[in-house]
Amino acid sequence: PVIDKSGSRILTTTGDGQIGVPRTTDKGWAEAISPSDGKILWQVALPCMAVEPGSYLPSADLVFFTLKTGDLIALHAADGTTAWTAKVGNEFQGAAALLPREKDPLIGSVSFDGIFSIRNAVSGAEVVRRMVPKGSTSSPAFVGDRVYVAVPYRIFAYGGLAGI
């Protein structure tokens, strides 16, 4: 879980299901919880279970969730309303990774079916899409001007993030 920039909300998820085992009964919820008394401030049903508690971008006050169904969703931390959603692939087993830079923050993801995508974290607009081998169960890693994508038996490195 992460705490928002005001310190008044713990942002997280809960769910029903298991990563890597898709079922029609999978469910998920995003939540904001008061750190002072544990009360739920808002709760939003997600289209499916999230694979992680979420990432937070303080400059935009957005929280991001990577769903088992291959979707990314960005919610406004203040009230849980949807900022944007995007279908990346058919399944995620690893979380998306946030690159919280000052200008044009990015969020990158790798679907289990081999779609590597980088999006503008605020608008959700896709800026890069590449096909990689199937089977990724990890997050991309942003380091300097590069992003690393791990798939079974290989790691791909893509440069030029400063130009995005």
Side-chain angles (χ1 to χ4, degrees):
V2 295
I3 195 148
D4 77 339
K5 65 183 176 183
S6 71
S8 64
R9 293 176 197 88
I10 298 169
L11 305 166
T12 191
T13 61
T14 188
D16 209 5
Q18 180 180 344
I19 296 169
V21 182
R23 294 203 165 99
T24 58
T25 55
D26 290 340
K27 298 177 197 168
W29 299 267
E31 302 172 324
I33 301 166
S34 169
S36 61
D37 60 14
K39 289 185 180 175
I40 295 176
L41 302 172
W42 57 257
Q43 184 178 61
V44 174
L46 298 171
C48 189
M49 181 185 138
V51 299
E52 34 64 271
S55 298
Y56 178 66
L57 181 62
S59 62
D61 204 27
L62 293 174
V63 61
F64 304 90
F65 301 103
T66 310
L67 307 184
K68 282 177 53 174
T69 53
D71 298 289
L72 291 178
I73 186 166
L75 303 179
H76 295 281
D79 58 10
T81 57
T82 302
W84 58 265
T85 61
K87 181 76 168 171
V88 175
N90 292 327
E91 179 183 1
F92 280 123
Q93 291 192 13
L98 189 60
L99 178 59
R101 56 191 191 174
E102 275 187 48
K103 184 181 177 203
D104 297 324
L106 301 173
I107 188 162
S109 60
V110 187
S111 68
F112 190 72
D113 52 325
I115 301 170
F116 163 57
S117 173
I118 296 178
R119 296 180 173 276
N120 177 295
V122 176
S123 70
E126 188 172 68
V127 293
V128 171
R129 177 178 281 249
R130 300 279 186 271
M131 296 304 297
V132 296
K134 296 177 182 179
S136 180
T137 58
S138 63
S139 304
F142 291 103
V143 181
D145 192 45
R146 293 187 184 194
V147 59
Y148 296 89
V149 176
V151 298
Y153 308 106
R154 293 186 191 138
I155 296 177
F156 293 89
Y158 299 97
L161 292 176
I164 297 176

